[in-house]
């Protein structure tokens, strides 16, 4: 049986910010196929004449790699996967390709009601750097489980 790859999963406009500057950009997310049993996800961002691309084993990690390309240029991308209080579980990554992530709350464990789409729109005041998001996730893990990550 033949699969059709690459498979387009997301294709829409997103908001980017750099200081007070706001720009719309085209975001595309792809499932490129499989490297053995492992999926390969790709995210592309078209900002004017610039094109940014990142590939990883799940969409969240592809987004992280894309953000790491944008951050040195001062850009942030207003999607749920870039929020201070969102992060995928291992199951979200392994079973769902990182397409959905959890909104976390200090001291509380997550449930299915806390799931949001990784590439869905988010408010700019919720967006942080990759480093800030990882730090906040480690703090949440400790508050929710009592264990350090």
């Amino acid at each position: 049986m033949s699969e059709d790859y690459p498979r387009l999963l997301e294709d829409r406009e997103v908001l980017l910010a750099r200081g007070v500057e706001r720009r719309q950009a085209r975001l595309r997310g792809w499932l490129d196929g499989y490297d053995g049993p492992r999926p390969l996800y790709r995210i592309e961002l078209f900002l004017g004449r610039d094109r940014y691309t990142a590939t990883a084993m799940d969409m969240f990690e592809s987004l992280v790699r894309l953000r790491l390309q944008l951050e040195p240029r001062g850009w942030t991308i207003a999607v749920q996967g870039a929020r201070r209080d969102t992060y995928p579980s291992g199951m979200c990554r392994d079973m769902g390709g990182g397409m959905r992530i959890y909104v976390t709350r200090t001291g509380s464990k997550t449930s299915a009601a806390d799931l949001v789409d990784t590439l869905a729109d988010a408010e700019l005041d919720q967006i942080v750097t990759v480093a800030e998001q990882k730090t906040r996730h480690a703090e949440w893990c400790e508050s929710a489980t009592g264990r350090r990550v």
Side-chain angles (χ1 to χ4, degrees):
M1 174 160 69
S2 170
E3 296 288 336
D4 293 328
Y5 296 108
R7 186 176 306 149
L8 184 62
L9 304 174
E10 190 81 32
D11 184 8
R12 63 189 200 78
E13 295 289 315
V14 294
L15 179 65
L16 270 71
R18 179 169 59 187
V20 296
E21 184 179 1
R22 305 290 183 263
R23 301 260 313 264
Q24 290 293 122
R26 171 67 62 190
L27 177 77
R28 289 188 179 146
W30 302 86
L31 173 58
D32 278 340
Y34 288 82
D35 180 12
R38 309 275 321 191
L40 294 173
Y41 290 86
R42 175 172 39 104
I43 193 167
E44 298 175 314
L45 184 78
F46 301 89
L47 178 61
R49 293 182 179 171
D50 296 327
R51 177 178 177 247
Y52 302 90
T53 302
T55 303
M57 298 294 182
D58 65 62
M59 190 59 76
F60 178 78
E61 184 61 28
S62 294
L63 176 62
V64 166
R65 292 176 182 184
L66 177 77
R67 291 167 60 203
L68 289 172
Q69 293 175 49
L70 295 171
E71 285 179 6
R73 293 165 175 83
W75 290 110
T76 58
I77 182 170
V79 296
Q80 295 290 322
R83 284 176 52 173
R84 171 185 327 281
D85 61 348
T86 59
Y87 216 84
S89 67
M91 184 178 286
C92 286
R93 296 180 103 153
D94 292 342
M95 303 298 288
M99 295 295 295
R100 301 199 76 201
I101 54 178
Y102 285 101
V103 176
T104 59
R105 291 168 187 78
T106 302
S108 299
K109 294 188 178 193
T110 57
S111 71
D114 298 313
L115 285 168
V116 294
D117 292 334
T118 301
L119 301 177
D121 291 333
E123 297 297 322
L124 278 173
D125 64 353
Q126 299 173 322
I127 306 306
V128 295
T129 66
V130 170
E132 289 172 303
Q133 186 181 38
K134 286 182 179 181
T135 297
R136 169 59 174 75
H137 176 66
E139 291 167 353
W140 170 80
C141 286
E142 188 172 353
S143 79
T145 66
R147 291 178 286 164
R148 289 191 172 215
V149 175

